[in-house]
Amino acid sequence: MKAWQENIRKVVPYTPGEQPNKPGMIKLNTNENPYPPSPLVARALQEMDDDSLRLYPDPTAASLTGAIAKRYGVSQDQVFVGVGSDDVLAISFLTFFNSEKPIFFPDITYSFYPVWAELYRIPYETKALREDFSIDPKDYYAENGGVVFPNPNAPTSRYESLDLIEDILCHNQDVIVIVDEAYIDFAGESALSLLDKYENLLIVQTFSKSRSMAGMRIGYAIGSPQLIRAMNDVKYSFNSYTMNRTSLAAGSAAIEDEDYFRECVGRIKKTRDEAEKKFARLGFSYPEPGANFIFVTHPAIHAKDLFTALREANIYVRYFDKPRINEYLRVTIGTDEQMNRLFDFLESYIREHRGE
């Protein structure tokens, strides 16, 4: 090894979901919304002029933080925005997890967490989920340098109650607790109601799922003004212009269209309810889903074999070759037509598997 190679930072990177682009494919592997964004988004983009590309964007992203603050009934200094929730979470890790004590997060969770911890040299410990993939709050009572977990969890889709979240907050008031709510709009109540009670709580959400804007890369955090100010200080230390003008305009328009947002979320939840019944009839089991995907397993079919067969049929789902979940597939909820094609294939595959 050459001398300069010894000083290169080495990490095992996050592996994103496959992004195929094939005619007639059914893409149910990356939890994208199957419906288009609000019509107000298209209108906002059409109204943009040459200055939108020629001039720098507002480094404070005031139009977007203001729209988000209004939507959630918080003050504007409680909102931080970034290039997708991954950017927001990465800045959160860099800003708040700086002690020598390990941060805690579940063993089955969003696989970017250990990547950021390794990248920023943050010590961490994973806490095993129960057999039903639920969090045991007692695992988070020990001394630590911070806590982060998704709710609903990824890839299990399991939603935890506010009582459990508050239990963890009560036992961790000397560190930052991050609740990653990328899928909350498909589940129960957000932890936003706990913000006034816990100044160490940071909630992270995204436009990628329920607002159909994964391609725009818009994420945001809501917390106390002190936490948001600290995050902005870190952001301004290496990139003042994280949000481009196009994203600011599109995001502001999207969050103002509450009726369209609720309609799309309702359609996906209705399709998810039907998919649950169909999976159950075919012999699959799954944790109760709280996201726009279902985490399924079948007692007689290996998940990897089914994943491969689906892929060969131009149907893409997500498979994780990891301990405890290597017999599960994560299936994004698509349109009714896409889900019908999925179940037509599954019914045929299972009949063949049984030798019928």
Side-chain angles (χ1 to χ4, degrees), residues 111-132:
S111 51
F112 231 138
Y113 296 163
V115 173
W116 288 317
E118 295 286 350
L119 178 64
Y120 298 136
R121 302 296 190 259
I122 300 168
Y124 67 93
E125 292 180 11
T126 59
K127 301 298 179 179
L129 295 178
R130 297 182 177 117
E131 286 301 310
D132 64 355

Side-chain angles (χ1 to χ4, degrees), residues 61-105:
S63 60
L64 183 54
T65 58
I68 293 171
K70 181 180 178 181
R71 163 66 172 77
Y72 292 106
V74 298
S75 61
Q76 194 163 351
D77 61 359
Q78 289 183 266
V79 181
F80 176 92
V81 295
V83 186
S85 59
D86 288 339
D87 180 48
V88 175
L89 286 163
I91 290 175
S92 302
F93 272 56
L94 188 60
T95 305
F96 301 121
F97 297 156
N98 291 295
S99 78
E100 296 181 356
K101 301 172 186 175
I103 64 170
F104 292 168
F105 50 81

Side-chain angles (χ1 to χ4, degrees), residues 84-328:
S85 59
D86 288 339
D87 180 48
V88 175
L89 286 163
I91 290 175
S92 302
F93 272 56
L94 188 60
T95 305
F96 301 121
F97 297 156
N98 291 295
S99 78
E100 296 181 356
K101 301 172 186 175
I103 64 170
F104 292 168
F105 50 81
D107 64 333
I108 301 171
T109 193
Y110 186 30
S111 51
F112 231 138
Y113 296 163
V115 173
W116 288 317
E118 295 286 350
L119 178 64
Y120 298 136
R121 302 296 190 259
I122 300 168
Y124 67 93
E125 292 180 11
T126 59
K127 301 298 179 179
L129 295 178
R130 297 182 177 117
E131 286 301 310
D132 64 355
F133 297 137
S134 64
I135 289 175
D136 185 345
K138 295 183 179 64
D139 288 340
Y140 296 83
Y141 289 1
E143 191 174 10
N144 62 74
V147 175
V148 57
F149 58 91
N151 192 39
N153 195 12
T156 66
S157 192
R158 185 180 175 108
Y159 170 77
E160 300 288 0
S161 70
L162 289 190
D163 288 342
L164 180 140
I165 293 172
E166 186 160 16
D167 189 348
I168 292 174
L169 282 162
C170 284
H171 289 85
N172 290 279
Q173 297 189 51
D174 57 342
V175 298
I176 303 302
V177 176
I178 301 174
V179 182
D180 180 358
E181 292 188 339
Y183 302 98
I184 193 64
D185 295 320
F186 305 102
E189 186 179 353
S190 165
L192 285 164
S193 61
L194 300 175
L195 283 174
D196 290 340
K197 192 173 180 180
Y198 299 96
E199 63 181 3
N200 62 321
L201 169 63
L202 187 76
I203 295 168
V204 178
Q205 295 190 11
T206 179
F207 280 58
S208 296
K209 317 303 181 188
S210 57
R211 297 190 186 275
S212 307
M213 297 178 70
M216 272 292 177
R217 313 307 300 129
I218 303 173
Y220 56 100
I222 302 177
S224 68
Q226 183 179 1
L227 297 189
I228 300 305
R229 187 162 52 249
M231 292 177 69
N232 276 317
D233 287 345
V234 170
K235 182 187 84 166
Y236 293 148
S237 296
F238 66 90
N239 186 358
S240 299
Y241 303 107
T242 55
M243 298 297 296
N244 63 61
R245 283 174 168 258
T246 305
S247 294
L248 292 174
S252 298
I255 204 144
E256 290 173 2
D257 198 345
E258 187 70 13
D259 290 341
Y260 184 85
F261 160 75
R262 293 188 180 279
E263 178 189 348
C264 279
V265 169
R267 291 173 71 183
I268 291 169
K269 290 171 73 173
K270 182 179 179 181
T271 303
R272 184 185 69 193
D273 291 344
E274 289 300 314
E276 284 187 68
K277 298 172 186 175
K278 292 179 180 179
F279 275 124
R281 283 200 294 267
L282 291 173
F284 289 88
S285 59
Y286 45 84
E288 181 178 355
N292 66 334
F293 58 88
I294 303 178
F295 199 52
V296 300
T297 185
H298 197 285
I301 301 171
H302 289 300
K304 192 170 185 179
D305 293 342
L306 181 54
F307 166 77
T308 302
L310 284 162
R311 196 173 185 276
E312 290 173 352
N314 228 11
I315 301 173
Y316 292 84
V317 298
R318 193 76 189 268
Y319 173 69
F320 299 90
D321 193 5
K322 295 181 178 181
R324 298 185 65 191
I325 59 172
N326 59 359
E327 288 298 342
Y328 284 81

